[in-house]
Every structure is written in structure tokens, then in C-alpha cells.
Amino acid sequence: MTQTVLVFLDASHPDGRFEDAGRPTLYATDLGVTRGDGVFETLLVLDGHVRKLPAHLSRLNSSARMLELEVPGHEAWERAIVTALAEYQRTVGVLDEVVVRLVATRGVEGVHAPTCWVAAFAPAHSAKRQREEGVDVILLDRGYDSDVAERAPWLLLGAKTLSYAVNMAALRYAHAQGADDVIFTSSDGQVLEGPTSTVLVAHAETDDDGRITSKRLVTPQLDSGILPGTSQGALFAAAKEAGWELGYGPLEPEDLFDADAVWLISSVRLLTPVNHLDGKAIGEPALVKALTEELAGLFDRIA
């Protein structure tokens, strides 16, 4: 079994309270369990450094506000993360690549106090493999149009909630079709996001010698009901400094098929090339490799 360190945020324990991950730790009446009523963030630690921590904490607070859920401040989470990683290093021995998950639920029904914890564990083996080898993806209809987030804020689109049953069902469906992952589309034909990732699209111009002369990186519109990606935001900032042109949709499926490269990007799997979309190869392999290596190099340097 993978070693998991659990640290609960507790007012009586300023640096967090350890719990044994192998024993029951939540009440059966916790609303995070019974209704998926809560928020979470997943971070990656590389060589002892927690990547994009301020962005993740900011998005956690944003998600919590959308749910009208009070969660601890940044400092409490930071202390609990330090505690969890110190224990993980003590028990496992290394911090070369560790997943850190922050979770806040509405708590036990009727108590009116959130349940909050930090978990530290090793990433799945598939994360590194897919990052290195790429993935085959299918398009799936998410069942609503790209304007619904503005019309129906109670759907909590753009919040990272614990209600991931639909996302996981989409991935199971993809696996049953022989694919690795999914890109959702809206009912009015716009590209949205993956179940656990943000979509990136690249177009490049080359000269007669095959040298890249211009590069444009595009992601779906953020107001289309998708989760604002911390990895996408950080990579866009780095790419802009490196001379890439940037754009925010709208994107349609044909834009993906016509792209020179398509990636799914997330905090744990990082920059993952899409090899095939609905069975069609994406891009020319040599150009995809060159663009991926450049962007991965930029992403690796992000704090």
C-alpha cells in the first residue's frame, strides 16, 4: 500500500494533527462523504519544493467562496503542509516527487464546522508514463452550453469541488473505448476541459529549413464554465516571456484536429501530449516533440 500521511487542521494543534491513514478518520455523517459538499486542491512537490502553492491556495479560497464555505487561512494550510511533508520525508525518506492534497468539507451534518486536512502520498505510476508517452483522448459532450456558468451560478462551474463522480465516469467510459482520457465539449460545440486537466493548443510556423519562426499557445475561454487551471496560468506567463503568442478561445473540436500540438496540463501529470483525438493523430511527431520539450522546459522552471 502506498504510504499516505494525513494531517488535520485543528485549532488546538497550530501545526496540524496527525491521523493514521490506515484507520477510520472521518465521521460517516460528514457532508463531504454523504454529499460531496466540499472543495479540494492537488499540488505537486518536486525535490522538496511545493509548486505553485500561492495559486493553489488562492483557488481553494475562490472555490470555497462559491460554496459559501469558510475554510482556514493560507498560513494554517501552509503549516499543515510543512508538517505533512516532514513526516512523509521521515517515513518514506525522499521528497523527489510527492502529491499533496488539500481537502475542506462542510463537516459533520449539524455541527457547522468544516473538516480540513492535508494528505501527502506518492503519485500514480501512470502520471509519469503518460507525461512521457502522451495519451489517446476522445471528445465527450458535457451536456450544457458554454454560457450556462453565467446563467446558473449554483452549478458551481469553475469551482474545484469534491463532486467528481461525473468526471470519473467520463474517464471510465474513455477507458472502455480504449482511450486514456477525455476532452469535454459544450452542447454548443465549444472545447471545454479534461476531467482533471486543462486543454492547451499550439500552432507554429516554420521556415524552409524547418526552424520554428512563430508559436501561438491557446486555451479555452475561462468564462465557458471551466476550472481556471493553475498550471495553465503559470505556463502562459512563462511562455509569454519566452516569446509565445497567447490566446483564449473560443475553440471548437476542428481547432484541435488542425493544431500542431495539443496537450492536457495539470499539476500532477504536468504537460501531457495528446497523441490521438478520436482516433486521429495530432500534429507531426517531430514538431510535437520540439514544442513539448520547449514548453516542458519552461514549466519545469515554474516555482
Side-chain angles (χ1 to χ4, degrees):
M1 178 182 292
T2 301
Q3 173 71 37
T4 299
V5 172
L6 283 183
V7 176
F8 278 73
L9 279 69
D10 185 331
S12 62
H13 296 76
D15 295 324
R17 166 174 53 84
F18 284 112
E19 290 290 346
D20 184 348
R23 298 174 61 86
T25 53
L26 288 177
Y27 286 99
T29 52
D30 191 293
L31 291 168
V33 175
T34 60
R35 296 186 176 177
D37 193 356
V39 297
F40 77 102
E41 284 288 326
T42 305
L43 304 75
L44 186 65
V45 176
L46 288 178
D47 297 324
H49 175 68
V50 184
R51 289 169 57 92
K52 303 185 279 87
L53 179 57
H56 281 288
L57 290 175
S58 177
R59 191 172 65 178
L60 182 75
N61 278 353
S62 176
S63 296
R65 284 194 300 270
M66 293 176 70
L67 270 69
E68 300 181 31
L69 173 64
E70 291 190 13
V71 298
H74 289 194
E75 296 81 5
W77 289 107
E78 290 169 358
R79 289 194 300 269
I81 291 169
V82 169
T83 300
L85 290 177
E87 179 65 10
Y88 188 92
Q89 186 171 35
R90 187 188 71 80
T91 55
V92 178
V94 293
L95 291 177
D96 54 347
E97 191 164 343
V98 185
V99 177
V100 173
R101 182 161 292 146
L102 318 180
V103 183
T105 80
R106 202 167 299 276
V108 176
E109 190 164 5
V111 174
H112 306 297
T115 305
C116 305
W117 70 90
V118 172
F121 52 92
H125 294 300
S126 60
K128 184 177 181 180
R129 174 179 54 80
Q130 291 186 354
R131 161 194 328 160
E132 294 175 347
E133 300 177 3
V135 289
D136 293 337
V137 175
I138 59 174
L139 295 170
L140 291 183
D141 186 350
R142 200 166 191 175
Y144 55 74
D145 65 55
S146 57
D147 296 324
V148 71
E150 183 175 352
R151 296 197 316 272
W154 54 87
L155 293 179
L156 300 177
L157 301 179
K160 196 171 179 68
T161 75
L162 294 174
S163 302
Y164 257 50
V166 170
N167 292 17
M168 298 301 99
L171 287 175
R172 289 193 297 273
Y173 181 85
H175 297 161
Q177 311 309 307
D180 302 300
D181 214 319
V182 168
I183 292 176
F184 287 123
T185 59
S186 65
S187 59
D188 54 342
Q190 288 195 25
V191 174
L192 298 173
E193 59 191 343
T196 62
S197 60
T198 305
V199 178
L200 297 178
V201 176
H203 295 279
E205 299 289 338
T206 58
D207 61 21
D208 293 337
D209 296 322
R211 292 188 293 264
I212 299 173
T213 57
S214 67
K215 300 160 291 188
R216 179 172 173 79
L217 193 61
V218 185
T219 198
Q221 289 178 298
L222 298 181
D223 60 358
S224 59
I226 65 175
L227 181 73
T230 61
S231 297
Q232 171 269 317
L235 182 58
F236 260 43
K240 183 177 182 179
E241 289 187 7
W244 285 69
E245 297 178 32
L246 305 177
Y248 289 89
L251 292 171
E252 298 179 353
E254 201 59 36
D255 295 315
L256 305 183
F257 291 114
D258 291 341
D260 290 307
V262 176
W263 299 274
L264 299 179
I265 187 170
S266 62
S267 293
V268 174
R269 196 168 50 181
L270 305 180
L271 188 69
T272 301
V274 174
N275 296 330
H276 296 88
L277 182 62
D278 282 353
K280 180 181 178 181
I282 300 297
E284 194 275 321
L287 182 56
V288 171
K289 184 174 185 292
L291 294 172
T292 300
E293 289 177 349
E294 180 176 349
L295 287 178
L298 295 175
F299 197 45
D300 285 345
R301 295 196 291 271
I302 291 170

